[in-house]
Amino acid sequence: MLVPVKWLKDYVNIDINAHDLGDRLTLTGSKVEEIITTGDEIQNVVTGKIMKIEPHPDADKLVVCQLDIAQDELLQIVTGATNMKEMDIVPAALHGSSLPGGLKIKKGKLRGVVSNGMMCSEEELGIAGDKPVHGLMILPENTPLGVDIKEVLGLNNAIIDFEITANRSDCLSIFGIARETAATLGYGYKKPETEYICSSDRKVEEIIKVEVNDELCSRYMAKAVVDVKIEPSPQWMQERLLDAGVRPINNIVDITNFVMIELGQPMHAFDKREITTGKIVVERAAEGEKFTTLDGVERTLNNKVLCIKDDGNTIGLAGVMGGLNSEIKEDTTEVVFECANFDSTNIRMSSQMLGLRTEASYRYGKGIDPNLIQVAMDRACFLVEKLNAGKIVKGNIDVYPAPVKERSIVVDSDWINKFLGINAPVEKMKDILDRLELTTIVEGTKLNVKIPTFRADVSIREDIAEEIARFYGYDIIPPTLINVASEKGGKNRKQHQDDKVIAAMMASGLNQSISYAFVSPKVFNKINLKAEDSLRKTVNIKNPLGEDYSVLRTTTIPSMMENLSRNYARNNEEAGLFELAKIYIPSEDSSELPDERNVLIMGMYGKADYLNLKGIVENLLDTLGVEGFNYVRESDNPTFHPGKTAALMFKNVKVGVLGEIHPDVADNYGMDVPAYIAELNLDILYANSKLDKKYRPLPKYPAVSRDMALIVDEGILVQEIEDIIRKQGAPLVETIKLFDIYKGKQIPEGKKSIAYSIIYRHENKTLVDEEVNKVHDRILKTLEYRLGAQLR
């Protein structure tokens, strides 16, 4: 919020410069973003009177001027300007001065004649505006001499830009900052004048009626002005508004904006002619209703938007913007002032939905004291009278069914000292609170603090302590260590598991990536999900940055494909990535939070295939100590290649999927090489992991190796064969190694040859051939019986 220091001085006697004031206010909790001072580039430019003008002895277009700048001797300046005469007062840039644009002025010689500076035009001072200016700037004849030109032209104004926190809506005004300034400097302050005389004999009830039909409006006040004369507001008001970043329009509209900036209470002025029924009704819009706002844009409303209506027709959006149909016009003669209090949450939502953010909605959205309305209305009427803009009718219409009242908080000063770690006397605490209009009565060590309605942020004793702390001085409060019981820190089980996963992935040659959890609904089309797929049911973001970030992801595959395709588009021959990410599965009850799941996503292309990916997955499972898993072919997943995809299963529960991305999906991402993805549910893996490693001595007894080559149907899965070998060979089978798969002339059509090397070992003795042969034969018979396998 822009606060002109010149405006601030109307209420507080500020005797320090803007930068010192900004520093002081920052220390008391009013965060200063920037201090803007006009005329900073103008240095060492003073006013001077031209006492004598003589021709240049060696240049027809130059003259030599002698200037009186209130010093011991006249200043000689050579110029080519022609619009000045003797006794004119002009700005004079002296030796060593600077001008806008970085121009430095030094004394020198022009065609042999000494010139000790330069006389300036409006353009050279940077104040010419858009219109072209010719010649020197001629100042009024009563301008004092030798005075800094910035002081003469009012270029030494300062504007402080504050960042107002959401809890301090009382500071969203010049007067609110003035109150903080007075408390910071320890000065008193004066309040804006609000007394006026109702110069019209008419009563407000004769002109307008008000009906509030929605609890979103807690207070509504209306006042009428007749015999209105629409004209430009005075220069002082226009300057104040411009410095605060508001464009002047006309006297009536400027008054409403002036009051809003000054007191923090938005107001609106309606042309009485456009309220055809003579009745204002506050109620919600109809669903799909069209309405054209003051900016000339037609907007579509919904039934959550609170409106100001002319007993049927909408004439304004409550707390946001008025309507084009009721704006103040040049021939307006009767005006209805509106001053109201609306629900802050509703105003924020309506403003966001409509894409319409105004000074009014900004203030209403942070919450405004409803008791400020009377002060703001009186101030507006005072300004109407001061500007002679019209006659004020008698009375107010004030709909205020549940007035907000002051509260009290009792807090012990000893507790405050202990809480803050200070030793402030109770009298100092009272002084601080009284300066903030938190009127305090001291009862022994107790402080009975009356909380005014404009300080809605003060509700508990800790808030009182904060107010004392920021004016006692954060910089002088001694720092202390937090007094807590010391406990040994460390990582929890999940953090240890995450570390192991990251280490395993990096050891496998993958690089860690990070992606947004926000995605576009269009990503589900890119990975070919069916319309009825449950993954399309997402959690929608209420205030998305855009359509590309409008839902929470239910799968990480699109994110990984984006990363792979980005690498591929940049001509990286190969890439291997992984991410520990989260997915969000919406609950059936929309009021409940979604199911937030931890997943591991792996992706690769280039020098990689399905077996590489499967090997990385198995290394991971071994690292986590997950046993008892198996793979099941998955051919109905539209995202993956139907013949090169498997589901990872653990105790008949699907843990994830791994395989080659479907060529159509890869094409959707601009990739014409195979891409391989694995997405695993880390929550299930972590729940079944065994991180404790137990020592197992090297085997004492030798192993026996047997090879076998089987001819089986092409549709038989390797997993089925290995499951039978392990089950029938237990407990002697130690390892199984697949070393050959063959299809060719020697193999019948529709068959394939699969060769294994099996290691047998007993923990407590040396195996003999009879024992191994017995187990080996049992394996072969079971394979033949269940799978129709034959020894090759």
Side-chain angles (χ1 to χ4, degrees):
M1 185 185 73
L2 300 178
V3 176
V5 175
K6 186 176 181 180
W7 198 345
L8 204 58
K9 289 181 177 179
D10 289 348
Y11 317 107
V12 185
N13 181 25
I14 298 173
D15 53 4
I16 57 178
N17 64 47
H19 290 278
D20 289 342
L21 177 60
D23 291 342
R24 295 281 295 274
L25 287 170
T26 297
L27 287 174
T28 56
S30 300
K31 184 180 179 185
V32 174
E33 285 286 294
E34 182 183 10
I35 298 177
I36 308 161
T37 52
T38 56
D40 278 352
E41 294 182 295
I42 302 175
Q43 298 294 331
N44 205 22
V45 180
V46 300
T47 58
K49 180 183 286 188
I50 303 174
M51 306 303 295
K52 191 174 183 180
I53 301 176
E54 296 178 327
H56 191 287
D58 196 26
D60 295 339
K61 295 185 177 181
L62 297 177
V63 294
V64 181
C65 301
Q66 304 295 328
L67 274 71
D68 179 4
I69 59 170
Q71 293 185 358
D72 294 337
E73 58 184 36
L74 298 180
L75 181 75
Q76 179 172 290
I77 294 179
V78 179
T79 182
T82 60
N83 68 314
M84 72 291 185
K85 63 183 185 298
E86 290 182 355
M87 308 311 291
D88 278 346
I89 299 177
V90 297
L94 308 181
H95 171 68
S97 61
S98 61
L99 296 174
L103 180 64
K104 303 292 184 181
I105 304 300
K106 295 182 179 180
K107 67 179 180 180
K109 289 185 178 182
L110 290 177
R111 300 293 291 269
V113 177
V114 174
S115 180
N116 293 295
M118 182 181 77
M119 293 183 287
C120 303
S121 66
E122 285 97 331
E123 185 175 358
E124 287 159 339
L125 292 174
I127 60 173
D130 297 331
K131 296 181 180 180
V133 177
H134 303 286
L136 300 179
M137 181 179 188
I138 308 300
L139 299 169
E141 60 182 15
N142 60 348
T143 303
L145 304 182
V147 178
D148 191 326
I149 192 65
K150 291 188 290 186
E151 182 179 337
V152 173
L153 300 179
L155 298 178
N156 54 356
N157 291 341
I159 299 171
I160 304 179
D161 187 5
F162 288 92
E163 179 187 336
I164 307 300
T165 55
N167 65 319
R168 292 304 304 273
S169 60
D170 60 297
C171 288
L172 281 171
S173 64
I174 304 296
F175 183 68
I177 295 296
R179 192 160 42 212
E180 289 287 308
T181 301
T184 298
L185 300 179
Y187 299 159
Y189 63 89
K190 62 179 181 180
K191 296 182 179 182
E193 295 181 74
T194 57
E195 293 185 5
Y196 63 93
I197 297 173
C198 295
S199 51
S200 172
D201 292 332
R202 299 175 65 183
K203 296 181 179 180
V204 67
E205 293 83 359
E206 301 171 3
I207 298 174
I208 195 70
K209 292 180 173 56
V210 173
E211 180 180 317
V212 178
N213 294 332
D214 201 293
E215 60 185 9
L216 294 175
C217 176
S218 59
R219 187 178 187 183
Y220 193 98
M221 180 178 286
K223 186 84 171 178
V225 180
V226 298
D227 297 338
V228 172
K229 294 177 290 185
I230 302 298
E231 55 190 10
S233 54
Q235 186 67 27
W236 65 267
M237 180 175 283
Q238 292 192 36
E239 289 177 358
R240 293 282 200 275
L241 292 174
L242 286 170
D243 287 345
V246 177
R247 178 175 62 89
I249 298 174
N250 59 54
N251 53 355
I252 295 298
V253 176
D254 289 354
I255 285 171
T256 62
N257 287 332
F258 187 91
V259 171
M260 175 180 67
I261 300 297
E262 182 183 46
L263 297 177
Q265 172 63 54
M267 293 186 65
H268 188 69
F270 295 107
D271 186 332
K272 171 59 178 61
R273 294 174 301 180
E274 305 303 330
I275 309 176
T276 55
T277 63
K279 184 179 182 181
I280 288 177
V281 178
V282 183
E283 61 185 18
R284 303 193 194 200
E287 187 69 34
E289 178 182 343
K290 304 290 185 182
F291 177 66
T292 303
T293 46
L294 272 172
D295 55 3
V297 178
E298 184 180 74
R299 304 179 188 276
T300 302
L301 313 181
N302 61 30
N303 57 13
K304 294 181 181 179
V305 178
L306 191 64
C307 293
I308 311 301
K309 299 188 176 184
D310 172 15
D311 202 16
N313 298 318
T314 298
I315 57 175
L317 304 180
V320 181
M321 184 179 281
L324 190 64
N325 56 356
S326 62
E327 68 174 337
I328 302 300
K329 305 171 184 63
E330 291 184 1
D331 61 344
T332 298
T333 58
E334 292 189 357
V335 167
V336 174
F337 280 136
E338 166 196 272
C339 206
N341 190 273
F342 304 112
D343 179 78
S344 59
T345 302
N346 178 264
I347 298 301
R348 286 198 304 271
M349 294 175 63
S350 298
S351 177
Q352 182 180 1
M353 186 276 293
L354 295 167
L356 186 58
R357 187 174 175 82
T358 62
E359 289 286 347
S361 68
Y362 174 58
R363 286 167 172 78
Y364 276 123
K366 292 185 180 294
I368 301 175
D369 175 19
N371 292 326
L372 183 60
I373 287 175
Q374 184 68 66
V375 179
M377 186 66 82
D378 291 346
R379 179 62 170 167
C381 292
F382 168 83
L383 292 170
V384 168
E385 186 177 70
K386 181 175 181 178
L387 273 55
N388 195 25
K391 295 181 179 179
I392 304 160
V393 304
K394 295 179 179 179
N396 297 324
I397 294 178
D398 189 7
V399 182
Y400 194 16
V404 177
K405 298 180 179 179
E406 292 182 339
R407 298 164 287 111
S408 292
I409 298 176
V410 177
V411 59
D412 194 298
S413 61
D414 291 340
W415 176 86
I416 292 177
N417 279 325
K418 183 179 179 181
F419 181 69
L420 297 178
I422 61 177
N423 189 26
V426 68
E427 293 79 12
K428 184 173 182 63
M429 295 184 186
K430 171 179 167 54
D431 176 61
I432 290 173
L433 295 172
D434 285 344
R435 279 154 48 191
L436 291 166
E437 289 193 25
L438 302 174
T439 307
T440 303
I441 298 174
V442 177
E443 300 169 350
T445 62
K446 304 287 186 182
L447 298 169
N448 190 331
V449 186
K450 185 180 291 185
I451 312 300
T453 55
F454 66 81
R455 288 303 303 271
D457 61 305
V458 179
S459 58
I460 56 177
R461 64 178 183 172
E462 285 77 8
D463 294 329
I464 300 294
E466 180 186 7
E467 296 301 302
I468 291 171
R470 65 192 185 96
F471 286 95
Y472 179 83
Y474 286 125
D475 53 330
I476 62 175
I477 295 177
T480 55
L481 294 175
I482 299 175
N483 185 17
V484 295
S486 177
E487 294 184 5
K488 183 179 179 181
K491 294 183 178 181
N492 58 32
R493 177 180 172 84
K494 179 183 181 302
Q495 290 170 328
H496 280 297
Q497 291 170 322
D498 286 344
D499 289 344
K500 287 185 175 294
V501 170
I502 292 172
M505 293 296 100
M506 297 184 72
S508 298
L510 304 184
N511 294 302
Q512 189 170 10
S513 64
I514 299 175
S515 59
Y516 287 116
F518 301 152
V519 297
S520 168
K522 295 179 182 178
V523 299
F524 302 122
N525 296 330
K526 293 185 73 173
I527 62 172
N528 289 356
L529 286 188
K530 297 176 182 178
E532 66 275 10
D533 197 300
S534 61
L535 292 179
R536 287 184 177 269
K537 297 177 181 178
T538 59
V539 177
N540 297 326
I541 307 300
K542 287 186 176 181
N543 55 341
L545 298 174
E547 185 183 7
D548 290 344
Y549 304 96
S550 60
V551 300
L552 286 173
R553 63 187 174 192
T554 54
T555 172
T556 53
I557 294 175
S559 301
M560 180 55 70
M561 286 301 299
E562 288 285 353
N563 291 338
L564 293 179
S565 66
R566 189 175 297 113
N567 278 273
Y568 183 72
R570 285 160 175 73
N571 298 320
N572 289 331
E573 294 183 358
E574 58 180 317
L577 304 172
F578 77 94
E579 180 180 357
L580 275 69
K582 291 182 183 292
I583 60 173
Y584 303 85
I585 308 301
S587 172
E588 292 184 3
D589 185 350
S590 59
S591 64
E592 294 183 2
L593 293 174
D595 180 13
E596 187 175 332
R597 300 177 185 174
N598 295 289
V599 299
L600 170 66
I601 181 78
M602 294 174 262
M604 59 181 68
Y605 73 85
K607 298 177 182 179
D609 57 21
Y610 170 77
L611 293 178
N612 293 126
L613 182 65
K614 181 171 177 282
I616 294 173
V617 171
E618 291 181 349
N619 286 339
L620 170 69
L621 297 174
D622 182 63
T623 299
L624 292 176
V626 179
E627 299 176 347
F629 60 87
N630 64 306
Y631 302 95
V632 175
R633 174 179 287 177
E634 186 163 291
S635 57
D636 59 350
N637 191 323
T639 304
F640 288 86
H641 192 297
K644 302 179 182 179
T645 304
L648 180 67
M649 306 296 292
F650 180 81
K651 296 180 180 178
N652 296 321
V653 175
K654 185 176 178 179
V655 179
V657 61
L658 64 153
E660 180 182 330
I661 288 295
H662 197 288
D664 291 343
V665 174
D667 185 61
N668 290 340
Y669 286 92
M671 299 181 66
D672 54 10
V673 297
Y676 300 89
I677 294 282
E679 185 179 44
L680 308 179
N681 187 323
L682 284 178
D683 293 328
I684 297 177
L685 294 180
Y686 285 175
N688 295 279
S689 69
K690 298 177 181 177
L691 298 182
D692 297 333
K693 302 295 184 181
K694 293 184 179 180
Y695 169 72
R696 186 175 181 180
L698 293 173
K700 296 180 180 179
Y701 302 98
V704 177
S705 176
R706 292 280 193 275
D707 292 347
M708 67 167 138
L710 306 171
I711 297 176
V712 296
D713 291 340
E714 271 191 82
I716 299 298
L717 300 178
V718 168
Q719 183 71 52
E720 297 177 80
I721 298 173
E722 293 180 0
D723 288 345
I724 291 174
I725 294 173
R726 285 194 176 88
K727 186 174 182 179
Q728 297 300 319
L732 298 185
V733 172
E734 185 177 74
T735 58
I736 307 168
K737 183 178 180 181
L738 173 67
F739 66 85
D740 183 55
I741 298 178
Y742 174 73
K743 298 178 190 177
K745 295 180 181 179
Q746 295 87 356
I747 305 300
E749 189 73 22
K751 302 284 186 177
K752 60 183 176 183
S753 171
I754 298 180
Y756 284 98
S757 176
I758 304 174
I759 303 298
Y760 297 93
R761 191 193 306 269
H762 198 289
E763 290 184 355
N764 301 318
K765 67 177 182 177
T766 299
L767 290 173
V768 296
D769 286 342
E770 289 78 8
E771 293 174 301
V772 175
N773 291 339
K774 182 178 178 181
V775 175
H776 197 72
D777 290 342
R778 185 169 69 231
I779 292 172
L780 289 172
K781 288 179 181 179
T782 305
L783 289 170
E784 179 181 3
Y785 175 72
R786 293 191 180 178
L787 305 179
Q790 296 178 349
L791 272 177
R792 183 179 172 188

